[in-house]
Amino acid sequence: MRKALCVLSALLATASLASAQTPVYLDETKPIDERVEDALSRMTVEEKIKLIHAQSKFSSSGVPRLGIPELWTTDGPHGIRPEVFWDEWDQAGWTNDSCVAFPALTCLAATWNEEMAHLYGKSIGEEALYRGKDVLLGPGVNIYRTPLNGRNFEYMGEDPYLAGEMVVPYVIGVQENGVAVCVKHFALNNHEVNRHNTNVVVDDRTLYEIYLPAFKAAVQKGHAWSVMGSYNLYKEQHASHNEYLLNDILKGEWGFDGAVISDWGATHDTYQAVKNGLDLEFGTGTDGLHSASRNSYDNYHLGLPYLDMIKDGTVGTEELDDKVRRVLKLIFRTAMNSGRGFGSFCSDEHYAAARRIGGEGVVLLKNEGDALPVDFDKPGSKILVVGENAVKMMTVGGGSSSLKVQREISPLEGIRERAGEGVEVMYARGYVGDVSGEYNGVTSGQDLSETRSGEELLAEAVSMARDADCVIFIGGLNKSVNQDCEDSDRKGLGLPYDQDKVISALAEVTDRLVYVNISGNAVAMPWIDDVEAVLQAWYIGSEAGHVIADVLSGDVNPSGKLPFTFPAVLEDCPAHSLGEYTGVHVRDTVDIEYKEGIYVGYRWADMQKKSKPLFAFGHGLSYTSFSYGKPVIDVKKISPDGKATVSVDVTNTGQVEGKETVQLYISDKSSSLPRPVKELKGFRKISLKPGETATVSFEIDRESLSFFDPERHEWIAEPGKFEAIVASASDDIRGKVAFELAE
Ligand code: GLC
């Protein structure tokens, strides 16, 4: 007995000693808020100030004295940016940081497949974790308002519902690794020209119905651990310290408990940074670490200037403690999360994921006379590949999402690898685009220099096309300045470098011309009637060539759908017909009013009588075909808080297995405020074997029927008549069923 008591007392002593030794903030068995309060109570005001701003280009300090580690952030949404010097944008020259480039987020959105979004987040999160990064500076979910926006390729299209549904699994997948996302750019960063001084003027209804939902979904359904404030202004305040967007909406209405991180150089005012919801300041322009008399990071708004304001009584410390709580929580969830494993980097699984996502995201826009798939296995056949984009590296460039990759398979390489015995794959450049290949010190290593003239290149391509069985033109944009690139917009809808001329000339000499468009934006296609097939192929990253060959050959049956409208001409886009969109730089703040309001993309196209899109939102063909039965609804009159289920049978009526994304749109037949003809409120991607039929069901509730009433400042669903519309594309309606919402 005595012995047992001795052992027990020794154990208790050890336990109490241990608990005395393990402070609450370090004890991961304790609730996170308790740990935060404990850490906060131990910190000096100087330590609190140091915690809420950067210490280097991409890191912020922890609390060394308490063993609270630094926080390391990294770009970007498509892969892990290579290491830069402490206080520079340029390369640190590491040799262990060449990553996998996953497809651009427009491609992910085009999969319309939440599973792909989760696979994407999981994979890129593992790469970030392996590289020792705690915060991934992505994904971006700014709405596609104009096809000229230089960064649309980093985002998820024109529809808030699609972007919202696709961003949530990505967020969950990344954060399962103990790596935080930083959803960006919050908010209203819809073009790049004047990005630092555009003051967006937009009505509340449009803000809440179009520009906020994807961020709200990322925060409320994805539980994003951080959000990045954008460069532009809203209501005359910069978005990275904006009382309306950050205090009232993000933290107030949505209950966001994470940290707001500024965009790099997006913080302009100390008092606003203190009062208007900024928690962690990065990238502020100071005179660097070289000439400054002291560590210039101390000169950040949330650095010593803030401390001075506290000391002279201008502000109290309640905002400081709130910021510190949020940053501590971010650190506890990531850098201090001992259970988060070690990630993985450049694994076969990550390449396979990139290839799978790309294969589900490529969109077959046109396919006449079965020009596609191409038979790559017919001995003696001759295939001509034309275009600089068939060989040019696309993972270098485009701005902060630029990458240093372990490998990138070009379209030409992918096609040559896929071609069977006896199949000749020829190449002609066709034109000269951008021979550069460098961003931030990362070089593509390609020599694209060219001595021949445009005429010679054109003549060569045309003559080779004459005796080719099939001509595949790989064109589009290339992430150079003004060609899908951060901090610059495109100057027009057309293809650059006279590609149209080459495409038209080729169409004259072949009846089997396939155009593969590599871009993150819609482009004009004046030659569309002369080209048998068109693929939208995105910036697919490391596996680009494999994915393009997979789809061209039919090894993968394309199943992507457009996440944004392809207008025939720029004026068909309301940002340009109604405005305002600015194409000129001005020195100080410039107001841009979103005059089209909620009528963005197909919401606008559906109302036009005279014009129609070149390709519609949600459009995407397959190598098979699908028929739809008549949609049915189980409740004709839904009670105010009730639900209904819309079901429709879909059959694969073709010869090969394929995936179809069934889209559900809701049309409100009588509303007190004007509403679009229809709005996307559901989608389901299904795989069907030839002849197979599946029943696809969608649940409708009051959220699906609601619109935002700015007067009441809330979402409301008005009783009355509605229609559920099932479609294969926004312009390819396969059935409607009427129902009512009861009083
Ligand atoms: C850039 C971008 C942002 C990026 C950050 C760090 O200017 O706007 O998306 O994450 O700065 O590179």
Side-chain angles (χ1 to χ4, degrees):
M1 183 57 177
R2 267 170 57 82
K3 191 160 179 296
L5 280 175
C6 291
V7 167
L8 181 63
S9 58
L11 279 175
L12 285 174
T14 316
S16 64
L17 190 64
S19 65
Q21 275 167 352
T22 314
V24 168
Y25 74 93
L26 292 176
D27 182 347
E28 291 188 272
T29 66
K30 291 282 190 295
I32 196 164
D33 287 331
E34 259 181 61
R35 297 175 58 201
V36 165
E37 291 312 312
D38 179 47
L40 189 71
S41 68
R42 297 166 185 263
M43 291 167 69
T44 65
V45 67
E46 288 75 14
E47 287 170 332
K48 293 178 182 178
I49 288 287
K50 263 188 123 33
L51 195 81
I52 60 172
H53 62 81
Q55 67 171 3
S56 75
K57 191 56 84 180
F58 283 102
S59 74
S60 59
S61 55
V63 188
R65 179 178 62 85
L66 296 176
I68 293 175
E70 303 169 331
L71 203 63
W72 280 88
T73 71
T74 180
D75 285 315
H78 308 147
I80 308 309
R81 182 172 185 157
E83 212 63 27
V84 296
F85 287 125
W86 184 258
D87 186 43
E88 309 289 340
W89 289 110
D90 274 340
Q91 297 308 300
W94 289 18
T95 53
N96 63 346
D97 55 355
S98 299
C99 69
V100 173
F102 296 93
L105 292 192
T106 33
C107 180
L108 173 61
T111 69
W112 292 58
N113 185 341
E114 298 92 328
E115 237 185 273
M116 291 300 105
H118 183 265
L119 174 64
Y120 196 126
K122 174 181 179 298
S123 306
I124 196 172
E126 288 167 349
E127 297 251 325
L129 182 56
Y130 187 82
R131 287 268 287 104
K133 307 300 180 185
D134 306 305
V135 183
L136 178 72
L137 301 174
V141 286
N142 293 102
I143 290 296
Y144 183 115
R145 174 178 181 259
T146 162
L148 304 189
N149 177 24
R151 296 187 82 174
N152 277 332
F153 72 97
E154 291 184 53
Y155 306 149
M156 296 192 184
E158 74 186 30
D159 183 81
Y161 180 82
L162 174 64
E165 291 299 299
M166 292 300 287
V167 73
V168 170
Y170 179 110
V171 169
I172 291 169
V174 171
Q175 297 191 158
E176 278 168 353
N177 289 288
V179 172
V181 297
C182 188
V183 189
K184 65 190 187 181
H185 304 87
F186 190 69
L188 297 165
N189 182 183
N190 305 100
H191 58 261
E192 289 295 292
V193 173
N194 302 326
R195 68 172 176 163
H196 295 277
N197 54 12
T198 288
N199 178 53
V200 175
V201 179
V202 65
D203 64 275
D204 276 5
R205 180 156 181 233
T206 302
L207 176 66
Y208 277 79
E209 283 196 17
I210 302 296
Y211 296 100
L212 292 181
F215 288 101
K216 183 177 181 186
V219 164
Q220 292 195 327
K221 294 180 185 168
H223 305 298
W225 292 339
S226 78
V227 166
M228 186 187 293
S230 61
Y231 283 127
N232 55 281
L233 296 90
Y234 170 64
K235 292 192 173 177
E236 311 293 336
Q237 289 180 4
H238 278 95
S240 284
H241 38 73
N242 188 298
E243 64 186 291
Y244 312 99
L245 294 174
L246 303 180
N247 288 350
D248 299 349
I249 298 172
L250 180 66
K251 295 177 178 178
E253 294 175 19
W254 297 352
F256 175 61
D257 75 344
V260 172
I261 298 177
S262 73
D263 199 339
W264 267 239
T267 311
H268 300 273
D269 179 298
T270 303
Y271 187 75
Q272 284 193 24
V274 171
K275 291 288 185 182
N276 294 353
L278 176 61
D279 300 308
L280 192 44
E281 179 184 354
F282 269 94
T284 298
T286 59
D287 56 5
L289 299 180
H290 315 297
S291 57
S293 56
R294 62 186 176 193
N295 178 348
S296 71
Y297 287 94
D298 293 336
N299 300 327
Y300 273 40
H301 294 284
L302 293 184
L304 297 178
Y306 184 13
L307 188 57
D308 294 346
M309 280 185 163
I310 291 172
K311 285 180 175 167
D312 69 20
T314 310
V315 295
T317 56
E318 58 276 15
E319 292 91 357
L320 176 61
D321 286 349
D322 181 57
K323 297 176 199 299
V324 170
R325 286 189 178 96
R326 292 170 182 274
V327 176
L328 283 172
K329 201 174 279 187
L330 183 57
I331 295 173
F332 289 173
R333 286 167 160 164
T334 57
M336 288 176 76
N337 170 354
S338 63
R340 65 176 185 167
F342 304 95
S344 55
F345 198 58
C346 295
S347 62
D348 293 346
E349 291 76 11
H350 292 170
Y351 282 108
R355 188 166 184 169
R356 213 178 131 204
I357 295 160
E360 290 233 7
V362 169
V363 184
L364 178 58
L365 295 177
K366 177 181 179 183
N367 189 21
E368 260 165 24
D370 287 347
L372 288 178
V374 174
D375 183 349
F376 280 100
D377 297 306
K378 197 167 103 190
S381 58
K382 284 185 172 184
I383 295 169
L384 172 65
V385 177
V386 182
E388 187 177 273
N389 279 5
V391 298
K392 182 177 173 61
M393 269 187 87
M394 292 290 176
T395 52
V396 174
S400 57
S401 62
S402 177
L403 296 170
K404 176 170 78 174
V405 293
Q406 185 185 56
R407 71 165 185 254
E408 178 183 352
I409 306 295
S410 74
L412 182 60
E413 285 166 336
I415 290 168
R416 283 193 160 142
E417 198 179 299
R418 175 62 184 78
E421 276 302 304
V423 175
E424 187 186 356
V425 177
M426 305 173 288
Y427 174 65
R429 183 169 189 164
Y431 66 93
V432 178
D434 181 333
V435 298
S436 71
E438 183 273 345
Y439 180 81
N440 244 178
V442 175
T443 57
S444 65
Q446 293 184 300
D447 176 6
L448 295 175
S449 59
E450 179 59 65
T451 53
R452 294 169 294 174
S453 70
E455 288 67 30
E456 286 167 315
L457 291 168
L458 176 61
E460 176 200 45
V462 170
S463 80
M464 290 171 80
R466 288 186 199 286
D467 62 355
D469 299 301
C470 166
V471 179
I472 301 169
F473 188 98
I474 313 271
L477 309 175
N478 57 14
K479 290 194 193 174
S480 303
V481 172
N482 301 123
Q483 303 298 345
D484 282 351
C485 180
E486 178 176 342
D487 204 18
S488 77
D489 283 353
R490 291 163 66 204
K491 296 192 181 306
L493 192 61
L495 289 174
Y497 318 124
D498 271 343
Q499 291 177 69
D500 292 340
K501 197 167 126 191
V502 184
I503 294 163
S504 299
L506 291 170
E508 297 284 323
V509 297
T510 175
D511 57 5
R512 195 150 187 212
L513 178 53
V514 177
Y515 174 71
V516 179
N517 189 51
I518 293 181
S519 78
N521 261 311
V523 298
M525 300 182 183
W527 31 260
I528 186 63
D529 295 334
D530 307 326
V531 171
E532 282 65 42
V534 178
L535 271 188
Q536 173 60 27
W538 313 116
Y539 299 111
I540 299 172
S542 292
E543 287 293 277
H546 287 151
V547 168
I548 289 170
D550 286 345
V551 173
L552 286 173
S553 64
D555 294 347
V556 168
N557 185 356
S559 62
K561 299 273 187 183
L562 287 180
F564 52 75
T565 305
F566 265 62
V569 292
L570 193 58
E571 290 60 46
D572 288 353
C573 172
H576 298 273
S577 54
L578 288 189
E580 291 171 320
Y581 165 76
T582 171
V584 290
H585 269 281
V586 289
R587 279 181 315 287
D588 50 12
T589 303
V590 55
D591 283 357
I592 300 292
E593 187 180 354
Y594 288 6
K595 290 181 175 169
E596 74 281 1
I598 58 176
Y599 300 100
V600 172
Y602 69 90
R603 289 170 165 84
W604 173 263
D606 281 351
M607 300 197 310
Q608 306 315 305
K609 300 286 176 274
K610 289 199 285 297
S611 63
K612 74 187 196 62
L614 176 61
F615 297 109
F617 173 81
H619 171 73
L621 303 175
S622 169
Y623 292 147
T624 186
S625 53
F626 299 98
S627 69
Y628 285 52
K630 192 169 170 17
V632 293
I633 191 164
D634 62 349
V635 175
K636 281 302 237 187
K637 193 159 192 169
I638 308 175
S639 63
D641 289 327
K643 295 181 170 29
T645 301
V646 174
S647 303
V648 62
D649 284 354
V650 182
T651 304
N652 179 341
T653 50
Q655 308 307 314
V656 294
E657 181 166 0
K659 295 187 177 81
E660 167 70 334
T661 298
V662 182
Q663 298 155 43
L664 173 78
Y665 295 87
I666 294 293
S667 177
D668 187 342
K669 307 320 277 181
S670 60
S671 56
S672 59
L673 288 179
R675 294 190 73 174
V677 170
K678 61 179 184 291
E679 297 166 76
L680 183 73
K681 295 296 178 185
F683 59 89
R684 190 92 69 256
K685 189 169 199 174
I686 55 170
S687 184
L688 294 172
K689 291 184 175 48
E692 185 183 1
T693 296
T695 301
V696 177
S697 298
F698 299 96
E699 187 168 89
I700 290 177
D701 58 14
R702 63 181 304 107
E703 191 183 337
S704 331
L705 310 180
S706 298
F707 65 89
F708 186 79
D709 180 334
E711 297 309 314
R712 295 164 56 176
H713 198 75
E714 60 176 342
W715 288 85
I716 59 166
E718 288 177 333
K721 294 188 183 339
F722 289 84
E723 251 179 357
I725 299 165
V726 291
S728 180
S730 62
D731 68 342
D732 181 1
I733 291 173
R734 302 298 184 93
K736 297 180 179 182
V737 59
F739 66 93
E740 274 188 63
L741 177 64
E743 287 288 340

